[in-house]
Amino acid sequence: MQTISSIKKCKNQEKLVMITAYDALFAALFNNKVDMILVGDSLNVSHNRAIDTLSASMDMMIYHTKAVCKGAPETFVVTDIPFGAYFDEKSALKKCARVYQETNSNAVKIEGGRERAHIVKALTQNSIAVVGHIGLMPQFARSEGGFKIKGKNEDGIQKLIDDARAIEDAGAFCIVLEGVKEDAGKAISEAVDVPIIGIGAGRYTDGQVLVWSDMLGFFEDFQPKFVKRYLNGADLVRDAVKQYAKEVKEGLFPSSEFIY
Ligand code: KIV
């Protein structure tokens, strides 16, 4: 199982693999297959059909983290802290301490660059391990008027480098970088000593993260350009359920092998 120090040592040595999980069933399938599992607040969109992540709550994140930790006891787990839970240091500490007290999660993730470095510092100084998240930050997309790609020009790249350095200095041990041009992904990865985990950030980051229901083809509402589908999960499930329904209707299930 990875630790904070082994994750940091992967920088420039080995690509890091992160995947999201929301329940014990799928977490068990990912256990020991990836470096980190993220209990992302994306669950509010893919599993709860909300329009964005903003209505995810601390109680939801705790519930799903408990399930994921049960399913993947040998994998490093990171819990996303939802919108509104870290507006100031005091409330961030209270909410994030809950994650450590009530679950076996190894770290928390919070969105924000320079403007939230003081929150990252308050957490890391109190022994709460933090994964940063910069670039396209879904929790702030509503106030920014949509999901906007970042790092499109030199100024944009410099701003992201400043963000990454600020949260690295504040103690984040790794940083998720979302929705940026590939040259921005490269420049930011080269600018800091902690691993940069990209999502829609090109080929040159220190690792990748994907939302499990996107990459396994269960979430069909939309498919961002950066998502590669490794399985057509939804098709497989639909076909199986269709077959089950057909067999029940036709009296083929249960056959003699499935009765007491
Ligand atoms: O909530 C989430 O799943 C995330 C990933 C997209 C990185 O933050």
Side-chain angles (χ1 to χ4, degrees):
M1 173 163 158
Q2 291 280 20
T3 61
I4 289 164
S5 67
S6 66
I7 289 166
K8 282 166 105 173
K9 280 188 194 139
C10 288
K11 181 92 187 178
N12 300 323
Q13 300 295 324
E14 186 189 328
K15 294 268 188 184
L16 286 160
V17 183
M18 185 190 244
I19 190 169
T20 67
Y22 311 136
D23 60 40
L25 191 66
F26 276 87
L29 299 175
F30 308 152
N31 189 32
N32 274 326
K33 309 276 182 302
V34 293
D35 296 303
M36 287 179 269
I37 293 181
L38 170 67
V39 188
D41 60 358
S42 53
L43 65 85
N44 200 43
V45 178
S46 73
H47 276 44
N48 201 26
R49 290 250 160 176
I51 53 158
D52 56 29
T53 58
L54 274 70
S55 51
S57 68
M58 235 12 249
D59 285 345
M60 280 164 75
M61 300 315 297
I62 296 275
Y63 173 87
H64 288 279
T65 299
K66 278 185 186 165
V68 168
C69 290
K70 272 190 226 154
E74 286 124 24
T75 305
F76 192 98
V77 172
V78 180
T79 303
D80 229 354
I81 303 303
F83 180 75
Y86 51 95
F87 284 155
D88 57 62
E89 288 105 319
K90 199 171 160 212
S91 110
L93 277 167
K94 201 169 158 204
K95 304 286 169 43
C96 296
R98 253 194 92 187
V99 174
Y100 271 18
Q101 285 170 334
E102 297 178 33
T103 80
N104 290 329
S105 183
N106 303 94
V108 299
K109 175 168 86 58
I110 70 167
E111 296 182 9
R114 276 162 304 172
E115 73 289 359
R116 263 173 292 278
H118 62 294
I119 306 282
V120 175
K121 194 165 183 183
L123 294 170
T124 57
Q125 281 182 336
N126 285 284
S127 298
I128 296 173
V130 177
V131 175
H133 184 152
I134 59 171
L136 190 164
M137 296 180 282
Q139 292 181 9
F140 301 94
R142 211 188 280 182
S143 57
E144 285 182 4
F147 295 88
K148 304 224 160 72
I149 299 301
K150 299 287 163 66
K152 284 181 164 170
N153 53 35
E154 269 184 33
D155 284 352
I157 294 176
Q158 191 53 52
K159 186 188 172 307
L160 289 169
I161 290 175
D162 294 344
D163 283 339
R165 286 188 175 142
I167 52 176
E168 176 182 40
D169 288 347
F173 72 94
C174 105
I175 299 172
V176 167
L177 176 65
E178 179 165 356
V180 301
K181 302 277 282 185
E182 187 172 71
D183 52 349
K186 187 168 187 286
I188 293 146
S189 302
E190 286 169 359
V192 291
D193 291 330
V194 292
I196 297 289
I197 312 294
I199 173 160
R203 290 165 286 183
Y204 304 109
T205 55
D206 304 301
Q208 298 290 330
V209 53
L210 282 176
V211 170
W212 79 269
S213 41
D214 288 343
M215 57 90 72
L216 296 180
F218 284 99
F219 184 72
E220 298 181 300
D221 293 9
F222 56 89
Q223 187 181 354
K225 181 172 163 53
F226 59 80
V227 171
K228 177 171 175 181
R229 279 201 181 147
Y230 285 84
L231 185 78
N232 285 321
D235 286 342
L236 292 174
V237 170
R238 262 190 302 267
D239 288 350
V241 173
K242 213 165 120 190
Q243 182 66 17
Y244 162 61
K246 183 172 179 287
E247 290 187 12
V248 172
K249 295 278 183 200
E250 292 175 0
L252 298 172
F253 177 82
S255 56
S256 56
E257 64 183 302
F258 299 108
I259 57 174
Y260 291 109

